[in-house]
Amino acid sequence: MGFFSHETAVIDEGCEIGDGTKIWHFSHVMPNCKIGEHCNIGQNVVVSPHVVLGRNVKVQNNVSIYEGVICEDDVFLGPSMVFTNVINPRSAIVRKSEFRKTHVGKGASIGANATIVCGHDIGEYAFIGAGAVVTKTVLPYALVVGNPARQVGWISEYGHRLAFNEQSIAVCPESGQQYELVNNAIKRIK
């Protein structure tokens, strides 16, 4: 089946791109990166060397994914959101040996214009609000907003804010999935 790339996209040799993936206008996929199946890479996106994108990752327009970033399956990267990979950049000082990793867990969403400071992981199904500046690790299923980002609640795998009852149980209004809050961590109830 292969992948689709717009005629203006630049695809360097040495990258892996999964079947069914689409790469749109003016995007650049650099060598030694790995993009899974059925991803969508929007307009004006840069995927740097050694970046790993899992299956079904959606990258909206104007996103640069720098070396050190790993996104698991089903991650959503909103328009113009930003990853960093050096904690103290200076133009005159080369710090390529100091790149810090950022791991984005399965199903997480990062809103438009959010900034993820390197070295801080985003847990599975976490939701980063538009414009948030993440300066520390985000727990799985956490809803974070603001600058600096702070946790304001919990969110379901379908993206709905969870309201917990006295027994620390919440139900996603769309999927009906139940969740339990135990010791500041979310557990799915089977």
Side-chain angles (χ1 to χ4, degrees), residues 4 31 35 60 76 79 86 105 110 119 134 147 158-159 171 187 189:
F4 165 82
I35 299 174
Q60 300 301 301
F76 176 86
V86 174
I110 301 175
V134 173
N147 181 7
Y158 275 59
V171 179
K187 291 172 43 177
I189 299 173

Side-chain angles (χ1 to χ4, degrees), residues 17-184:
I17 302 172
D19 287 346
T21 288
K22 295 177 181 175
I23 302 167
W24 293 101
H25 308 71
F26 312 112
S27 290
H28 186 184
V29 178
M30 300 176 81
N32 303 313
C33 68
K34 183 175 180 181
I35 299 174
E37 296 176 343
H38 303 288
C39 292
N40 191 69
I41 308 297
Q43 182 174 305
N44 195 39
V45 169
V46 174
V47 182
S48 294
H50 308 292
V51 163
V52 177
L53 302 180
R55 190 175 195 283
N56 196 42
V57 173
K58 305 293 189 251
V59 183
Q60 300 301 301
N61 296 347
N62 306 311
V63 174
S64 294
I65 309 170
Y66 295 119
E67 187 169 336
V69 174
I70 297 172
C71 295
E72 291 186 10
D73 295 348
D74 303 320
V75 165
F76 176 86
L77 303 178
S80 302
M81 63 79 48
V82 175
F83 287 105
T84 69
N85 64 358
V86 174
I87 200 69
N88 58 342
R90 293 291 196 197
S91 178
I93 300 170
V94 176
R95 292 207 162 107
K96 289 184 180 183
S97 65
E98 298 176 25
F99 287 168
R100 294 190 183 180
K101 296 190 181 300
T102 299
H103 181 267
V104 182
K106 176 180 173 61
S109 292
I110 301 175
N113 295 306
T115 299
I116 310 301
V117 176
C118 58
H120 303 291
D121 294 340
I122 310 298
E124 65 181 8
Y125 300 106
F127 195 99
I128 311 302
V133 179
V134 173
T135 60
K136 59 185 177 181
T137 295
V138 176
L139 294 172
Y141 298 95
L143 170 61
V144 301
V145 299
N147 181 7
R150 67 195 185 294
Q151 185 173 344
V152 295
W154 301 98
I155 199 148
S156 75
E157 292 177 16
Y158 275 59
H160 295 280
R161 194 162 183 174
L162 295 171
F164 290 91
N165 63 20
E166 299 82 29
Q167 291 79 36
S168 298
I169 304 294
V171 179
C172 174
E174 185 173 354
S175 69
Q177 174 65 54
Q178 293 184 333
Y179 298 88
E180 184 177 18
L181 180 59
V182 179
N183 297 324
N184 204 36

